[in-house]
Amino acid sequence: MTTVGLIGSTVARPAIAAGHNVVLGNSLGPETLQNLVAELGPNACAAPASHRLPRIK
């Protein structure tokens, strides 16, 4: 399991259970996260590390 697999899934699972959408990324590319995304379900997706979400103020 990659680092994002361990850390990301630990954070993502309760977030998804609470009704949130999650975006996971790593330096290897989104294709390396497809198994984890499939396991987490439709509220999860993978994006390239260059993808940045807007800051919440």
Side-chain angles (χ1 to χ4, degrees):
M1 181 175 283
T2 64
T3 302
V4 75
L6 179 59
I7 296 170
S9 64
T10 300
V11 173
R13 289 178 201 287
I16 290 170
H20 299 283
N21 294 320
V22 299
V23 179
L24 302 169
N26 66 14
S27 62
L28 301 175
E31 62 280 353
T32 63
L33 299 170
Q34 292 309 307
N35 288 340
L36 177 57
V37 168
E39 181 183 327
L40 293 173
N43 287 19
C45 68
S50 61
H51 177 78
R52 299 285 185 251
L53 297 174
R55 295 186 96 168
I56 299 172
K57 296 180 181 186

